[in-house]
């Protein structure tokens, strides 16, 4: 079941839609004690009519299948709509020299929006479980940058982190430098990337290389195979189809008992 809410953000100065997926057998919106996974780019998660190029991550079907099979516990999944023309500015903590639309980034305000406005709203409205171990956050591309930056800026708030095709090149590796200095990480981290994200071999090599660098940094921080999963998918593109295809593995790793 899907429910939507339009909330006013004091930190961003906008009204933003949240789409909440409730797992099977949850009645009347009472999700007391359930963990929550927050995902950026909410338009692209559930509804093809709102999604980029009409393609979604197939979140509802994938999560419901895993829950019914007992492979993950019931959880809420909250899609946070992006800001349209302001998407790049909101998601990035630092300018992307390759994208003129990323000038005057607002990533710090967005991280506060998620941690100080969205998460408390969901906890109040649905009775969702509190604490880092019950709170996941994720996204793809710039959305993955926003999820990673939020986790780094607010250590101890996010317990499960999902990063798909992260744009780790921004700011000449700004997030990789911050990650190298971070002392606290979520209990589980999933990294996904394809080897054919773009039509340019050098960009693909850079993208995969940056993910491998982050993987190495996390390994040095003590994240072994029980806490860290990296999937490098041969031939996979930078697309909703690719992220949908890897979602089952990501959810099962992050939320398996």
């Amino acid at each position: 079941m899907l429910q939507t809410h339009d909330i006013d953000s004091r930190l961003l100065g906008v009204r933003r839609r949240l789409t909440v997926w409730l797992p099977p057998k949850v009645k009347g919106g009472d999700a007391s004690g359930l963990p929550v996974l927050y995902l950026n780019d909410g338009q692209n998660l559930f509804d093809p009519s709102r999604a980029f190029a009409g393609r979604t991550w197939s979140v509802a079907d994938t999560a419901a299948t895993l829950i019914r099979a007992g492979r993950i516990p019931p959880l809420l999944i909250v899609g946070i709509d992006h800001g349209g023309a302001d998407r790049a500015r909101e998601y990035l903590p630092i300018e992307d020299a390759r994208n003129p639309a990323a000038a005057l980034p607002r990533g710090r305000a967005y991280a506060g929006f998620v941690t100080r406005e969205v998460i408390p709203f969901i906890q109040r409205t649905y009775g969702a479980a509190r604490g880092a171990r019950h709170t996941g956050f994720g996204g793809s591309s710039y959305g993955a940058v926003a999820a990673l930056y939020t986790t780094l800026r607010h250590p101890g708030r996010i317990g499960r982190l999902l990063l798909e095709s992260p744009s780790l090149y921004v700011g000449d590796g700004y997030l990789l430098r911050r990650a190298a200095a971070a002392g606290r990480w979520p209990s589980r981290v999933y990294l996904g990337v394809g080897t054919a994200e773009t039509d340019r071999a050098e960009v693909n090599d850079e993208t995969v290389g940056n993910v491998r660098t982050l993987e190495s940094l996390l390994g040095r921080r003590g994240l072994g195979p029980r806490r860290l999963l990296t999937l490098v998918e041969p031939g996979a593109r930078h697309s909703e189809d690719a992220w949908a295809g890897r979602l089952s593995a990501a959810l099962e790793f992050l939320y398996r008992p």
Side-chain angles (χ1 to χ4, degrees), residues 27-46:
K27 304 296 183 183
D30 180 10
S32 298
L34 292 187
V36 186
L37 173 63
Y38 300 87
L39 292 173
N40 289 320
D41 290 313
Q43 293 95 325
N44 300 332
L45 304 178
F46 305 105

Side-chain angles (χ1 to χ4, degrees), residues 178-223:
R178 286 202 61 147
R184 188 173 184 180
W185 284 94
S187 58
R188 294 183 188 176
V189 177
Y190 162 84
L191 306 175
V193 69
T195 63
E197 298 262 334
T198 75
D199 293 325
R200 297 172 56 189
E202 68 274 18
V203 174
N204 297 336
D205 291 344
E206 175 191 50
T207 303
V208 174
N210 284 336
V211 168
R212 288 299 192 192
T213 297
L214 181 57
E215 177 187 41
S216 296
L217 291 172
L218 293 171
R220 290 199 290 272
R221 290 297 184 184
L223 275 69

Side-chain angles (χ1 to χ4, degrees), residues 31-122:
S32 298
L34 292 187
V36 186
L37 173 63
Y38 300 87
L39 292 173
N40 289 320
D41 290 313
Q43 293 95 325
N44 300 332
L45 304 178
F46 305 105
D47 183 356
S49 70
R50 303 184 72 227
F52 178 75
R55 311 296 293 182
T56 76
W57 286 34
S58 300
V59 169
D61 289 343
T62 299
T65 297
L66 292 174
I67 290 168
R68 290 192 180 103
R71 292 161 64 184
I72 64 172
L75 76 158
L76 293 181
I77 301 179
V78 178
I80 308 169
D81 271 19
H82 62 68
D86 282 333
R87 177 180 180 270
R89 293 183 60 225
E90 287 184 359
Y91 282 172
L92 297 185
I94 194 166
E95 290 188 357
D96 177 359
R98 306 177 191 181
N99 183 0
L104 304 175
R106 304 189 67 199
R108 181 172 178 174
Y110 186 81
F113 164 64
V114 172
T115 56
R116 294 165 55 188
E117 296 180 326
V118 174
I119 292 175
F121 173 83
I122 294 298

Side-chain angles (χ1 to χ4, degrees), residues 124-142:
R124 290 193 307 268
T125 304
Y126 291 93
R130 299 170 184 263
R133 67 187 298 262
H134 303 296
T135 305
F137 193 23
S140 61
S141 193
Y142 279 178

